[in-house]
């Protein structure tokens, strides 16, 4: 073991920087939070080369006195706490006294500050060492310039993501801070291009408009509530406006953006059954609480906190959001689904032997578990164990075993075995494996309000008309998109689409890929695209459909084009066929004919059963013939 010694100040600062300064976005966060703590009403952030080359943060706050600059760049030097009591009563964003020292340890830093309104001070630091200090002309406030981040710790650079990702990290953190402080005007620039500008007029809805775009802000609704410990307020999206990730839920505790899974879940619980699976709201939840109930000193970046009475706060958030939705009369009818039961359907499916692994011949009873555990090769090797004696052809009301039995068994043996997932997940009409992907010619005999009734030979077929029409539409749209031969409909008046700066950056970077699905966007000013035509398969509200498609692409299926096409086609098919309707005989026959041309006509895009086949023997059993 080597000799124990004390680390140098510079090395200690670099180690501390590893905890606090992970990437350029960390620098922006720390400097902007310091500007807020300094009482600024205007903050401007400029950066170059994703923040690695240069970051400039300028504010009009209180500034730093010239005789305290050295102290400001010393570790554990702060103006925000004085004793242990203050540590558990933190009312500011920063308090550790590590930010400036950590930043200066891994970059070149220049500070220009004025705390008196007369003459200012300019100082330079490099790798944690002060290089110079002099008087300089400066307006009231502070401007800090960080250059060549991680120049002396190149190993850190390999852990950074692409420039685009690092830019998005900066935009995201500035957006969150802006939502927490709508009373402060914040401007964000990337190499001269405006990414964000908030008015600073303490209007949260207007700030949301600056961050996410006007179209989203218009669909946000306010909520508020309080109890003895907490005051909450904010904006939530109506149930029809959702996203595919939780990233659009911002929890702001005394102005500090935090990550808290339980509170984010409480927001979603407030929507009850109004949210579909894997759909998340857009929400800005501002929480005011006595600092004594919060311990913010549990993580170097202060993104995670320890909160007293978290359960009570979660309940308050859920109730407040539920009350706001009820007051706005947007409660969905989906709550009635809680009282419905699918048990009858399951029983019917069992009665009609709809499961694919059920062979349509008499055999010893086999449970689903036995089917799973028995390899397909064993079934093929020993037919006598799975079927009745092949040498005893029989005919009666229970089952039919004819002299062609050996030929039928040979066909069964040649069929492709099913995977375990197929056995447990797919449910189709009873029928032999040969018909699994081939539908016989059906003759229409009638229809109800929900089902088409058809026959083929002595067998009866029930076709869910809504599922069938959606399946046909789905296959048509998917074929167009897969072939990338998508018909376009021109717009007499081009559609202007405004996005938040973060979404705009992602969409702009992926325009060539987005064009493959038939959406052609042109850049049209700040954070805005123009749409001059659209795919003919888009139904309903054009703008909403385009936004949903782009959200799905950016947040879910960006790296899987096949899944993206399937998801978009399924969603569009559902919009195109919203529900059941009375069909003419010609329409019914057209559906039955088109279904025969589909590879798997028995399931729609979401795996729901489209066709149920009832053999004559099934009908006899239903009517208890021969018993």
């Amino acid at each position: 073991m080597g000799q124990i010694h004390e680390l140098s100040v510079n090395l200690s600062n670099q180690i501390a920087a590893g905890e606090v300064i992970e990437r350029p976005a960390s620098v922006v966060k720390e400097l902007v939070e310091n500007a807020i703590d300094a009482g600024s009403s205007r903050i401007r952030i400029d950066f170059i080369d994703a923040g690695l080359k240069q970051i400039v943060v300028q504010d009009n706050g209180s500034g730093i006195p010239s005789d305290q600059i050295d102290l400001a760049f010393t570790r554990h030097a702060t103006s925000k706490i004085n004793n242990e009591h203050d540590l558990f009563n933190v009312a500011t964003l920063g308090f550790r006294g590590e930010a400036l020292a950590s930043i200066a340890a891994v970059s070149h830093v220049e500070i220009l500050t004025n705390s008196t309104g007369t003459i200012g001070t300019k100082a330079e630091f490099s790798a944690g060492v002060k290089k110079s200090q002099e008087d300089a002309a400066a307006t009231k406030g502070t401007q800090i310039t960080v250059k060549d981040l991680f120049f002396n710790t190149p190993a850190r650079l390999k852990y950074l993501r692409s420039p685009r990702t690092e830019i998005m990290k900066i935009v995201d953190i500035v957006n969150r801070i802006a939502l927490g402080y709508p009373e402060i005007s914040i401007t964000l620039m990337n190499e001269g291009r405006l990414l964000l500008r908030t008015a600073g007029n303490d209007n949260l809805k207007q700030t949301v408009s600056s961050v996410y775009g006007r179209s989203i802000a218009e669909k946000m609704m306010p909520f508020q509530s309080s109890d003895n410990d907490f005051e909450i307020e904010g904006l939530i999206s109506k149930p029809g406006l959702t996203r595919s990730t939780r990233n659009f839920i911002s929890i702001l505790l005394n102005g500090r953006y935090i990550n808290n899974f339980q509170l984010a879940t409480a927001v979603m619980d407030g929507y009850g059954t109004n949210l579909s699976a894997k759909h998340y709201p857009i929400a800005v939840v501002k929480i005011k609480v006595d600092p004594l109930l919060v311990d913010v000193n549990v993580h170097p970046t202060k993104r995670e906190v320890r909160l007293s009475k978290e359960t009570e706060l979660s309940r308050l958030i859920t109730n407040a959001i539920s009350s706001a939705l009820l007051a706005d009369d947007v409660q969905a009818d989906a709550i009635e689904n809680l009282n419905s039961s699918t048990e009858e359907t399951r029983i019917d499916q069992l009665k009609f032997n709809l499961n694919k692994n059920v062979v349509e011949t008499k055999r010893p009873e086999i449970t689903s578990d036995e089917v799973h555990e028995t390899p397909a090769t064993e079934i093929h090797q020993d037919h006598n164990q799975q079927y009745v004696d092949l040498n005893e052809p029989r005919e009666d009301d229970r089952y039919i075993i004819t002299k062609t039995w050996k030929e039928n068994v040979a066909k069964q043996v040649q069929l492709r075995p099913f995977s375990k997932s197929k056995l447990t997940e797919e449910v189709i009409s009873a029928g032999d494996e040969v018909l699994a992907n081939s539908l016989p010619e059906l003759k229409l005999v009638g229809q109800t309000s929900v089902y088409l009734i058809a026959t083929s030979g002595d067998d009866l077929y029930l076709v869910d008309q809504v599922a069938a029409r959606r399946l046909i539409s789905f296959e048509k749209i998917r074929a167009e998109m897969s072939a990338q031969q998508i018909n376009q409909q021109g717009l007499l008046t081009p559609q202007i689409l405004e996005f938040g700066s973060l979404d705009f950056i992602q969409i702009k970077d992926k325009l060539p890929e987005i064009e493959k699905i038939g959406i052609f966007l042109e850049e049209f000013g700040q954070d805005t695209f123009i749409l001059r035509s659209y795919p003919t398969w888009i139904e309903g509200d054009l703008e909403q459909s385009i936004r949903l498609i782009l959200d799905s692409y950016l947040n879910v299926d960006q790296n899987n084009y096949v899944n993206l096409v399937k998801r978009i086609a399924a969603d569009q098919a559902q919009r195109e066929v919203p529900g059941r309707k009375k069909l003419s005989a010609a329409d019914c026959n057209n559906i039955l004919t088109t279904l025969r041309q589909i590879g798997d006509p028995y399931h729609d895009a979401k795996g729901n059963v489209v066709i149920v086949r009832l053999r004559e023997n099934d009908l006899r059993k239903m009517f208890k013939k021969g018993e």
Side-chain angles (χ1 to χ4, degrees):
M1 181 176 176
Q3 293 294 318
I4 298 174
H5 63 278
E6 186 177 358
L7 294 176
S8 67
V9 174
N10 189 38
L11 185 56
S12 298
N13 287 342
Q14 288 190 12
I15 294 173
E19 298 178 340
V20 179
I21 309 302
E22 300 174 327
R23 54 182 7 110
S26 304
V27 175
V28 173
K29 174 181 179 293
E30 297 295 340
L31 295 182
V32 172
E33 287 183 347
N34 280 348
I36 293 172
D37 288 340
S40 306
S41 61
R42 294 192 306 275
I43 302 173
R44 177 187 173 100
I45 308 107
D46 296 79
F47 63 93
I48 300 174
D49 192 16
L52 290 174
K53 185 175 182 180
Q54 179 174 289
I55 298 172
V56 181
V57 177
Q58 182 180 4
D59 66 64
N60 64 343
S62 59
I64 303 175
S66 59
D67 61 347
Q68 293 187 10
I69 290 180
D70 288 350
L71 197 57
F73 282 83
T74 302
R75 284 191 69 198
H76 307 312
T78 179
S79 63
K80 300 166 186 179
I81 60 174
N82 296 307
N83 51 48
E84 293 180 1
H85 177 268
D86 291 343
L87 184 61
F88 298 100
N89 192 31
V90 176
T92 56
L93 295 176
F95 58 90
R96 286 171 173 258
E98 293 181 308
L100 291 179
S102 297
I103 294 170
V106 292
S107 65
H108 303 299
V109 176
E110 178 185 288
I111 180 171
L112 182 62
T113 184
N114 187 332
S115 62
T116 63
T118 54
I119 192 70
T121 303
K122 177 181 178 182
E124 294 182 358
F125 294 80
S126 179
V129 178
K130 184 178 181 182
K131 297 298 183 181
S132 65
Q133 179 172 329
E134 60 185 359
D135 292 342
T139 59
K140 181 76 179 298
T142 302
Q143 175 181 297
I144 295 182
T145 303
V146 179
K147 297 180 179 179
D148 303 324
L149 186 62
F150 301 135
F151 80 97
N152 58 341
T153 54
R156 299 269 181 85
L157 297 174
K158 69 181 181 180
Y159 295 106
L160 298 180
R161 308 286 291 277
S162 66
R164 170 179 167 272
T165 301
E166 295 303 326
I167 290 173
M168 289 168 54
K169 295 284 187 183
I170 293 174
V171 172
D172 182 60
I173 195 61
V174 175
N175 283 348
R176 310 281 190 182
I177 293 174
L179 292 172
Y181 292 89
E183 70 275 14
I184 299 177
S185 175
I186 298 178
T187 301
L188 177 64
M189 305 286 292
N190 174 27
E191 301 185 14
R193 179 177 176 273
L194 180 65
L195 297 182
L196 174 69
R197 175 175 288 149
T198 63
N201 58 0
D202 203 17
N203 186 322
L204 180 58
K205 199 162 192 176
Q206 191 168 339
T207 303
V208 169
S209 178
S210 299
V211 172
Y212 295 133
R214 187 182 64 233
S215 60
I216 288 179
E218 290 174 346
K219 298 175 183 177
M220 301 287 282
M221 53 186 294
F223 74 96
Q224 62 179 2
S225 186
S226 64
D227 61 12
N228 293 333
D229 299 304
F230 304 99
E231 293 181 12
I232 60 171
E233 63 176 350
L235 294 172
I236 53 172
S237 61
K238 295 185 178 181
L241 176 61
T242 59
R243 289 294 181 264
S244 51
T245 71
R246 297 174 183 262
N247 293 342
F248 292 82
I249 299 177
S250 297
I251 309 294
L252 301 155
L253 185 67
N254 290 342
R256 184 193 308 275
Y257 169 64
I258 63 170
N259 290 329
N260 189 296
F261 179 80
Q262 183 171 337
L263 298 185
T265 301
V267 172
M268 296 170 57
D269 289 345
Y271 283 78
T273 57
N274 285 301
L275 291 178
S276 303
K278 297 183 180 180
H279 284 70
Y280 306 94
I282 301 172
V284 180
V285 183
K286 304 183 68 174
I287 305 168
K288 290 183 180 180
V289 59
D290 187 334
L292 289 173
L293 295 178
V294 184
D295 183 2
V296 295
N297 193 32
V298 297
H299 192 275
T301 64
K302 304 179 289 291
R303 289 282 293 273
E304 298 176 8
V305 300
R306 187 178 293 113
L307 185 64
S308 299
K309 300 187 177 181
E310 191 169 295
T311 302
E312 290 82 351
L313 176 58
S314 298
R315 189 180 302 115
L316 184 66
I317 292 173
T318 298
N319 292 339
I321 292 176
S322 297
S323 299
L325 293 172
L326 286 170
D328 201 61
D329 196 25
V330 295
Q331 194 75 8
D333 293 334
I335 195 169
E336 296 177 3
N337 295 337
L338 296 175
N339 299 322
S340 63
S341 173
T342 58
E343 199 60 34
E344 293 183 5
T345 303
R346 296 195 184 108
I347 293 173
D348 289 344
Q349 289 173 344
L350 291 173
K351 285 182 179 178
F352 299 151
N353 289 329
L354 301 185
N355 199 306
K356 231 174 184 178
N357 67 299
V358 178
V359 180
E360 299 174 31
T361 52
K362 182 67 176 179
R363 70 183 74 186
E365 293 294 331
I366 304 174
T367 65
S368 59
D369 290 337
E370 291 172 329
V371 173
H372 282 236
E373 294 171 358
T374 306
T377 53
E378 292 182 11
I379 297 177
H380 296 168
Q381 289 174 351
D382 190 352
H383 307 304
N384 292 330
Q385 292 182 4
Q386 301 297 326
Y387 303 94
V388 297
D389 189 346
L390 302 184
N391 297 320
E392 297 181 6
R394 298 172 56 186
E395 295 188 17
D396 58 35
D397 290 339
R398 297 287 183 168
Y399 44 76
I400 302 176
I401 304 177
T402 66
K403 294 180 180 180
T404 61
W405 179 252
K406 291 184 178 181
E407 179 182 348
N408 294 337
V409 171
K411 288 182 179 180
Q412 291 282 346
V413 170
Q414 293 172 3
L415 294 175
R416 183 178 60 194
F418 295 98
S419 67
K420 291 185 178 182
S421 61
K422 295 267 186 179
L423 289 173
T424 56
E425 294 176 4
E426 295 191 5
V427 179
I428 67 170
S429 61
D432 58 33
E433 181 65 14
V434 176
L435 288 179
N437 294 311
S438 178
L439 189 66
E441 184 174 358
L442 300 181
K443 179 181 179 182
L444 180 70
V445 295
Q447 65 173 304
T448 68
S449 60
V450 181
Y451 304 105
L452 308 183
I453 305 171
T455 60
S456 176
D458 294 329
D459 297 334
L460 180 67
Y461 288 79
L462 300 179
V463 181
D464 185 329
Q465 60 133 305
V466 175
R469 288 159 52 213
R470 286 178 179 168
L471 175 59
I472 293 170
S473 175
F474 165 79
E475 292 292 344
K476 178 183 176 183
I477 295 171
R478 182 168 67 166
E480 281 188 24
M481 296 179 68
S482 298
Q484 295 184 22
Q485 298 175 346
I486 303 172
N487 297 323
Q488 294 282 319
Q489 173 67 51
L491 290 167
L492 294 177
T493 303
Q495 184 86 46
I496 306 299
L497 300 174
E498 181 186 8
F499 294 90
S501 54
L502 189 60
D503 286 342
F504 180 85
I505 293 172
Q506 296 185 78
I507 293 170
K508 181 181 177 182
D509 192 57
K510 294 292 183 180
L511 283 180
E513 288 84 354
I514 292 172
E515 289 178 359
K516 293 180 182 179
I517 57 179
I519 299 176
F520 297 88
L521 300 172
E522 302 173 26
E523 193 171 352
F524 190 71
Q526 180 188 340
D527 298 339
T528 304
F529 293 103
I530 186 170
L531 181 73
R532 302 185 188 277
S533 64
Y534 65 94
T536 54
W537 44 257
I538 290 184
E539 295 287 334
D541 186 291
L542 176 61
E543 180 177 351
Q544 182 183 15
S545 297
I546 294 292
R547 290 183 182 277
L548 288 173
I549 290 170
L550 293 177
D551 177 62
S552 177
Y553 173 70
L554 295 175
N555 296 309
V556 182
D557 298 312
Q558 187 173 142
N559 299 318
N560 193 324
Y561 184 75
V562 174
N563 282 352
L564 174 67
V565 168
K566 183 176 179 181
R567 181 188 299 274
I568 293 174
D571 291 342
Q572 290 299 317
Q574 187 158 354
R575 293 190 187 95
E576 185 176 328
V577 184
R580 64 194 182 193
K581 68 176 184 179
K582 186 68 175 177
L583 302 174
S584 65
D587 291 336
C588 295
N589 282 314
N590 184 55
I591 289 174
L592 298 179
T593 301
T594 307
L595 285 176
R596 296 191 66 202
Q597 303 169 8
I598 296 175
D600 180 6
Y602 298 97
H603 301 87
D604 65 11
K606 297 185 177 181
N608 300 317
V609 175
V610 176
I611 303 172
V612 170
R613 177 187 183 188
L614 302 178
R615 286 184 174 275
E616 182 182 18
N617 199 38
D618 294 323
L619 297 172
R620 292 175 64 86
K621 290 179 181 179
M622 290 173 63
F623 288 98
K624 298 184 178 181
K625 293 293 182 66
E627 290 189 359

